[in-house]
């Protein structure tokens, strides 16, 4: 696996693959790789001839400078894991390559998709930061396919809309959330949880299961919403919403047979912010 840091270096490295009509996949990451990322890299390996993993902690998507400063960074470990999972190239540009002096362009997906839920609680700038860097990474790598995790369900929808709205020539694949045996969704932020909080964290998943059961049984959204709230008061819930799986608008009625919804939850546990979601079909 090669580690590259500049756009010309990346383009030169990918030229032979492009000339030979070999397929290229991109797995964008902010590092601190866990099994969720590795499942994306393995899926990319199974799909494409050339697998690029990008590693860039994107300052533009952090609304909290403390969160950015303490974000876990260990490139050596990430490089080893990415290589073992099948990456051919680790693209790890420094911030000044992604945002050079004078950089002044932002790519925004407008509307409720970026303004509700995470957009309301972290600010829509979070998603503007994501769509700007994802556009840049897609332009830099020009992959045939790019892989993202379902764990960030709202981000996945925003990226699909970005690609659709701007006619980008890339296939977006969303891979299922990987969970610990007790249900906690894998996240780079789980590393922040002290042992006592780590024991409490799966309550978020349990709430999603309860909410999904209500909707699958024909219960109404208000009842599902109540069921989603974790009983442990240490989980300070920002939102717990059964929503339309495409628009993310709140569900207003029980699901008709065959109908689908997604349940989304975000909560603070001590100093750590956790998000999770689950799909349900009646
Ligand atoms: O999901 C993430 O890790 C980030 O939001 C992404 C897509 C790599 C953009 O920085």
């Amino acid at each position: 696996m090669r580690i590259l840091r500049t756009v010309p270096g990346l383009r030169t490295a990918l030229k032979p693959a492009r000339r030979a009509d070999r397929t290229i996949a991109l797995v964008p990451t902010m590092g601190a790789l866990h099994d969720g990322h590795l499942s994306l890299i393995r899926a990319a390996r199974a799909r494409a001839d050339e697998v690029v993993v990008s590693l860039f902690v994107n300052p533009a998507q952090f609304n909290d400078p403390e969160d950015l400063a303490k974000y876990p960074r260990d490139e050596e470990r990430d490089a080893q894991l990415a290589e073992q999972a099948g990456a051919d190239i680790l693209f790890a540009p420094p911030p000044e390559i992604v945002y050079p002096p004078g950089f002044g362009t932002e790519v925004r997906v407008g509307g409720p998709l970026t303004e509700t839920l995470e957009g309301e609680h972290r600010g829509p700038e979070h998603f503007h930061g994501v769509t700007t860097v994802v556009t840049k990474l897609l332009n830099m790598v020009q992959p045939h396919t790019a892989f993202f995790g379902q764990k960030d369900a709202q981000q996945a929808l925003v990226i699909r809309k970005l690609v659709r709205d701007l006619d980008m020539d890339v296939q977006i694949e969303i891979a299922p959330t990987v969970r610990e045996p007790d249900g906690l969704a894998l996240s780079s932020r789980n590393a922040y949880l002290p042992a006592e909080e780590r024991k409490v964290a799966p309550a978020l998943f349990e709430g999603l299961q309860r909410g999904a059961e209500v909707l699958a049984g024909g219960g109404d959204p208000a009842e599902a919403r109540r069921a989603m709230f974790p009983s442990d008061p240490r989980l300070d819930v920002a939102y717990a919403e059964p929503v339309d799986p495409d628009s993310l608008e709140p569900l207003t009625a029980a699901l008709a047979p065959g109908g689908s919804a997604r349940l989304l939850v975000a909560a603070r546990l001590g100093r750590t912010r956790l998000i999770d979601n689950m799909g349900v079909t009646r």
Side-chain angles (χ1 to χ4, degrees), residues 28-30 37 54 56 58 61 71 126 129-130 133-134 137 148 152 155 159:
T29 82
M30 297 205 300
H37 298 110
S54 65
F56 179 64
N58 176 31
Q61 70 188 78
Y71 201 80
H126 162 68
V130 170
V133 84
V134 168
L137 291 167
F148 298 86
D152 295 300
Q155 170 176 282
I159 288 168

Side-chain angles (χ1 to χ4, degrees), residues 22-23 131 154 167 175 179 198 248:
R22 286 155 57 81
T23 52
T131 45
Q154 189 170 4
D167 306 301
R179 298 182 180 280
R198 171 62 189 82
L248 295 188

Side-chain angles (χ1 to χ4, degrees), residues 158-192:
V158 169
I159 288 168
R160 277 200 192 286
K161 184 163 166 57
L162 165 79
V163 164
R164 211 171 41 239
D165 284 0
L166 294 185
D167 306 301
M168 291 175 167
D169 191 13
V170 61
Q171 173 90 27
I172 300 297
E173 290 292 338
I174 308 299
T177 302
V178 179
R179 298 182 180 280
E180 299 281 7
D182 61 8
L184 177 65
L186 296 195
S187 161
S188 307
R189 291 187 167 84
N190 292 353
Y192 303 148

Side-chain angles (χ1 to χ4, degrees), residues 113-123 126-127 150-155 204 207-208 224-230 235-243 248 250 262-268 273-278:
L113 258 193
T114 54
E115 287 162 5
T116 56
L117 303 161
E118 284 301 282
E120 190 182 332
H121 288 267
R122 302 182 70 175
H126 162 68
F127 285 119
Q150 181 64 60
K151 155 85 172 24
D152 295 300
Q154 189 170 4
Q155 170 176 282
L204 222 51
L208 288 171
R225 189 170 185 276
R226 278 194 297 277
M228 287 170 74
F229 270 77
L235 276 158
D236 181 14
V237 175
Y239 59 80
E241 289 293 342
V243 296
L248 295 188
R262 191 158 282 279
L263 301 125
L264 289 108
V265 68
R268 193 163 276 286
R273 190 169 184 277
L274 300 172
I275 61 170
D276 201 354
N277 69 90
M278 188 177 285

